[in-house]
Amino acid sequence: MTKTIPAYQRIKNAILDNIHSGKWQAGNAISTEMALAEEFGVSRMTVNRALKELSEERVLERRQGSGTFVAQQQFNHTFVEVRNIAQDLKSANRDYEAKVVSKRAVTAAMLDNELRRKFGIDEKSVPANASAQTDANDEAVLYEVKIIHFADGQPIQFEERWVDAKKVPKFIDQDFSVVNTSDYLIAKSPLESGSYTIRALAAPDEIAEFLQIAPQSPTLVLRRQTYSAGQVVTFVKMWHAGDRYQFSGEL
């Protein structure tokens, strides 16, 4: 049985969709409470709850006597610090380069169980006879990109990333040999929170080839997911050659 989405949450989702699509950008005024109440057929109290929650989450900024505005850039940089390998290497005075191995649109039928769970895609929505092949008529649910990051000409990180195609529709159009994936997502999507794990794993053959190391060599794998409105916007696996990379920080 499909769970009904509360009216205030539908309004929040619609506002976030307008921000993700670029219709409402940082600093723009959004529709008034009255206009939103009429659009969704709800009371102004319901609209007020949606706007109040988004303001508390620092997606929106409410200004007395002026209206409600998108506060996307302040929100992005306040809550989620996403490490950027390009910046890290350049800060260390090392030559940085990125090579895009592949990028593609991914339909629901092409997803494995892990990605369906991560992005909340109902397995029942995939037709029983669906194939893993892309069909021109199928709707993309995720975008996938694979990138090798180099330091001084040596591969240091292999990135596998999946992005919600509806939340960040122009992601797939970017040249990620020039544009950093994390930078682009931070600029376009109001990130709310994130979680990550780091594990030591033996490199599978494909990963070893990309990192130019022997198969089964030790690697450090960072798996990270970031959220907006309680839903995953992007999930990434970053494979690092164990003898060329370390994670550090300050307490």
Side-chain angles (χ1 to χ4, degrees):
M1 189 176 203
T2 303
K3 187 176 180 179
T4 303
I5 300 174
Y8 79 90
Q9 186 62 54
R10 287 191 290 110
I11 296 168
K12 288 180 67 175
N13 292 345
I15 290 171
L16 287 168
D17 285 344
N18 283 335
I19 294 173
H20 294 142
S21 69
K23 180 179 178 181
W24 292 341
Q25 299 185 15
N28 288 168
I30 72 165
S31 301
T32 64
E33 283 191 15
M34 185 175 295
L36 289 169
E38 291 178 358
E39 179 182 350
F40 288 92
V42 298
S43 68
R44 289 186 63 176
M45 184 179 296
T46 300
V47 174
N48 186 272
R49 175 177 176 180
L51 299 185
K52 182 175 182 293
E53 290 192 5
L54 287 173
S55 297
E56 290 172 348
E57 293 164 6
R58 302 197 184 185
V59 175
L60 299 178
E61 178 185 356
R62 307 181 81 178
R63 302 175 191 169
Q64 186 68 35
S66 298
T68 304
F69 298 80
V70 179
Q72 181 178 348
Q73 294 304 315
Q74 178 184 5
F75 180 76
N76 284 338
H77 294 290
T78 299
F79 278 86
V80 181
E81 179 186 5
V82 178
R83 299 296 298 177
N84 181 330
I85 190 171
Q87 293 177 355
D88 287 347
L89 292 176
K90 290 174 183 176
S91 297
N93 295 316
R94 301 185 68 179
D95 290 332
Y96 169 76
E97 180 186 359
K99 177 184 176 182
V100 178
V101 175
S102 64
K103 61 178 183 177
R104 63 175 181 164
V106 179
T107 65
M110 299 164 64
L111 298 180
D112 59 24
N113 290 333
E114 180 185 28
L115 287 174
R116 288 198 183 108
R117 287 195 301 270
K118 291 283 186 189
F119 288 89
I121 297 170
D122 190 351
E123 189 173 358
K124 295 178 181 177
S125 66
V126 181
N129 61 350
S131 70
Q133 301 300 315
T134 305
D135 189 291
N137 297 320
D138 288 343
E139 180 181 10
V141 293
L142 302 180
Y143 293 134
E144 175 193 88
V145 62
K146 298 183 179 182
I147 304 168
I148 306 173
H149 299 273
F150 294 83
D152 299 328
Q154 186 177 50
I156 194 170
Q157 181 192 92
F158 175 62
E159 173 183 353
E160 299 178 283
R161 183 182 294 273
W162 295 267
V163 174
D164 189 309
K166 290 185 178 179
K167 288 184 171 59
V168 196
K170 295 184 180 180
F171 179 85
I172 199 68
D173 299 326
Q174 308 310 305
D175 180 356
F176 291 116
S177 64
V178 178
V179 179
N180 182 269
T181 51
S182 294
D183 280 350
Y184 182 80
L185 288 168
I186 288 172
K188 297 297 181 181
S189 180
L191 305 182
E192 174 183 297
S193 60
S195 60
Y196 69 89
T197 61
I198 299 172
R199 294 183 62 191
L201 293 176
D205 291 352
E206 180 186 41
I207 304 300
E209 182 178 352
F210 289 137
L211 291 176
Q212 296 178 17
I213 58 179
Q216 302 304 303
S217 294
T219 65
L220 293 172
V221 185
L222 184 150
R223 296 159 56 96
R224 184 177 66 216
Q225 53 203 22
T226 51
Y227 300 82
S228 181
Q231 296 179 324
V232 174
V233 174
T234 181
F235 170 59
V236 61
K237 297 179 185 178
M238 297 176 179
W239 298 76
H240 307 81
D243 61 348
R244 300 175 197 159
Y245 206 93
Q246 67 179 15
F247 292 93
S248 62
E250 296 181 0
L251 297 176

